[in-house]
Amino acid sequence: MKLIDNLKLNSKINLLVTGLLAIILIVFGLLIYKVQKNKLVNNVDSQLQVYLQDLNYIIEEKINVRKEAAISVTDYYLYELRAMQLTDSGNAVINRENAVTYLISKINVDEIIRDEINNYFSGREAYVSIPFKVYLIYRNGKGVEFPNNEAWDISGTKLYDKIKFVTGDKILKTNFLWPEKGDREEKFLYLLYQQSNNAFLAIVTDQYTLEKDLLQLRNFIAVGIFISIIAIWLLLSLQIKSVTKHIHLLSETVKDMSRGKTASSIYYKQNDELKEIVESVNSLIKGLRQTTLFSKEIGKGNLAASFTPLSEEDELGNSLLEMRKSLHEAEQDRTRQKHEEEERNWSSIGHAKFADILRHSVKDIGELSYYIISELVKYLNVTQGGIYLLNTNDKASPHLEMLSCFAYDRRKFMVKRIEIGEGLVGQCFKEGSTIYLTDLPEGYMDIVSGLGDANPRSLLIVPLKLNDEIHGVVELASLNIFEPYKIHFVENIGEIVASTLSSVRGTMNTEVLLEQYQQQSEELKSQEEELRQNMEELQATQEESVRRESELDEMLKAINTATGIIEFDLLGNIITANKHYLKIAEVTNRDIEDKSIMDFMAPELANSEKIKGLWENLAAGEIHTGVHKYIFKGKDKNFYETFTPVKDENGIYYKIIALSRETSQS
C-alpha cells in the first residue's frame, strides 16, 4: 500500500484500470475453460455410457444364444434316446436340467466378451475419440481385462467396496485412484451389472486422457490474457499521459487560488470531459476577481457598488450581499431597539402605577372602578373609557352593568345595562377575547359602544379575565390608533383589575351575608324549640312503626313457610319460586329455570284461549283466583292459586305473584 501511495496519478490510473481489466479477462477465461471442460466431460460421459450399454446388450444376446443352443442340443439328444428306447430301460437315464447346466457351464464367457469387443470396435477406430479399457468383474472382485485377456483383481480395495452391492440395470459412474498405493492416477469407471452371468461389465478411462486437450486450451487462454494486459497497459499510458499533464496544471492553479493569489485563466483546446473542468476553474477565477473588487468597495464604504453572484449557490458572493444588507439594517435595528426600550419602560411604569393604585383600593366598588378608568384614560391619553361589571343579582338574567365612565377629563354619570352577547361589549364578554376596531364610521359609537356622541378613530374592548373567568369588560376609545404594546398593556392590567374588583365584590358580598346570617340565627333559635317538640312526637311514632313492621315480618315468614309463592313475568315465564312451592310441586330450581308455567300444563290446556285470556287479564292488572292443573315430572298436581299483578315505581305492571297451595280438587 505504501508503494501505491507514492505512485503518480497516471501510474495509479494505469494500475487500477489494468488491474480491473485483468480481473475481468481472468474471470472470462476461467468461464470459457469451465464451459469447455463441462462440455468435454459430458460428451465423453455420454459416449462411454452408449458403448457400455451397446456391449452389454450384444454380450447378453450372445450368451442367451449360446444358452438356447445348449438347451436345443440337450432336447435333441433326449429325443434320440427316447426313440432308441434307452431312457426307459434304466441303462441310459439323462437328467435334462443337469445336462443343460453342464452345457451352459462350458460356455466361455470371457471368450465371448473378447470376441464381441473386437467385433464391436472393428472398423470404429476413427470414431472412438477417448481411449479406454473394458473389464469383466465378478462378484468376488476378480476379473479380466479385454481384449488382452489379462487378469484383474480388485478384491479388498476401496473400489470393490463401492461396486460389490450394485444391482439392477442402471449404470454406475464413479472416480477412483489406481493403484491405491504408491504413484496413483485418477481414473473414471462406468459399470453395469450383468444378471445373466452375475458379473459386472465395466469401462475405465483415465483423467489425463480426458483433460489433455483442456490443458492446451488453458495455456492458450493464459497467454492471451497476458498479452491483452500488456497491450492495455501501453494504450492507457499513452492516453492518460496527456490528461495528467493538464490535471497537473489545474492542480497548480488551484494551489495558487488556495493561497489567495489571483491566478491566470487556463487555455485548453481539446473537447472532452476535462474541458468542462477547465471552464469551471476559469469561471471561478473570474468570479473571485469580481468578488475581490466588490469587497474593496464595501471596505471603502461604497454600499451602492453593484455585484452579481456567480450563482444562487455562490456562498461568498451571497455572503457579501448579506453583509451589505446587514449594514443597511444595522441603523434600523438600533432605532427599533431604542423604540422597544421606550415601550418597555412605559409599560413598566404603568404596571407600577396601577399596582400602587389597586393596593390602596376602597371598599366601594363604584368609586374603585371610577378611580381605575380615570387613571387608565389619562395614562393612555385616550378620549373616553368605561368599565362594565357582570351583575348576577338576577340569576335568571345575568347582564353587564356600567359601573363608571370617564370622558374628556370628566366623570360621566351614566346607567347602562348590556345583555351578554349584545353589541361589541356583550360580544367581548361572551367570547372572552379582545376586540380592536379602527376607522369607525360616523355615529358608530352611539349604536354600539354607548360611550357618548363622540366619533373616535379607534375602539379597544378588553375582557377583565382572571383564571379563565370573566368578571367584566373595559372599553376605551381614542382619536388615535392604539399601538400593539398599549393593547398588550391594557390586557395585562385587565387581569389585575379583575382580581381587585373580584376581591372587593367578594368582601361586599361577605358583609351582606354576615348580616343575613345574624338575622337567620335569631330565626333558627325560635324554630329550634318547635323542632324539638316535633322530634319527640316523631320518636313515639317511629317506635310504633317498628313494632308494626316486626309483626308484619313474622306474618310474612309464616305465609312463606305455609304457602307456595311463585313469581312470573307478564308472559308467564317463571322468575323465581320459594322452597314451599318447590316442595309441593316436587321439583328443583333447575327444573323450572328458563321455563314458562304453560310448559307444565297439558298441551291442549296451555294453548287454549282460556289460558291466553287469563294472562292477558293479569297483564292488564286483574287479580285471578282458581284451581289449576299442572304436570310436574309426570305427576298431576292441582293447585289452588291466587294471581296478583305487581306495579313498579312508575305505576306500570311488570310481574305476577301467585300464592299456591295443593288441593285434591280438580
Side-chain angles (χ1 to χ4, degrees), residues 131-133 135 152 158-159 162 174-189 204-212:
F132 58 86
K133 294 181 181 181
Y135 294 86
W152 205 48
K158 295 179 181 179
L159 176 60
K162 286 183 179 182
T174 184
N175 61 323
F176 64 98
L177 297 175
W178 195 260
E180 293 187 354
K181 295 181 180 180
D183 295 334
R184 299 178 291 176
E185 293 182 357
E186 185 173 7
K187 297 181 179 294
F188 292 94
L189 172 71
V204 178
T205 184
D206 58 274
Q207 185 182 19
Y208 175 77
T209 303
L210 289 175
E211 298 183 355
K212 65 179 182 179

Side-chain angles (χ1 to χ4, degrees), residues 378-390:
K378 294 174 182 177
Y379 192 73
L380 292 172
N381 193 24
V382 297
T383 56
Q384 49 189 311
I387 290 182
Y388 300 84
L389 200 63
L390 178 64

Side-chain angles (χ1 to χ4, degrees), residues 513-529:
L513 291 174
L514 183 60
E515 292 178 0
Q516 293 177 353
Y517 174 74
Q518 292 174 350
Q519 181 180 358
Q520 291 174 356
S521 289
E522 296 297 330
E523 295 176 357
L524 287 174
K525 287 179 181 179
S526 62
Q527 294 174 358
E528 185 176 353
E529 180 63 24

Side-chain angles (χ1 to χ4, degrees), residues 213-224:
D213 292 337
L214 291 174
L215 293 175
Q216 296 178 359
L217 175 63
R218 183 182 64 187
N219 296 335
F220 176 77
I221 292 174
V223 172

Side-chain angles (χ1 to χ4, degrees), residues 223-234:
V223 172
I225 291 174
F226 179 75
I227 294 174
S228 299
I229 292 173
I230 296 300
I232 292 170
W233 176 271
L234 294 175

Side-chain angles (χ1 to χ4, degrees), residues 68-86:
E68 290 175 0
I71 294 170
S72 298
V73 170
T74 302
D75 290 340
Y76 173 76
Y77 280 110
L78 287 175
Y79 175 78
E80 290 295 330
L81 290 173
R82 291 192 188 97
M84 295 167 57
Q85 299 181 348
L86 294 177

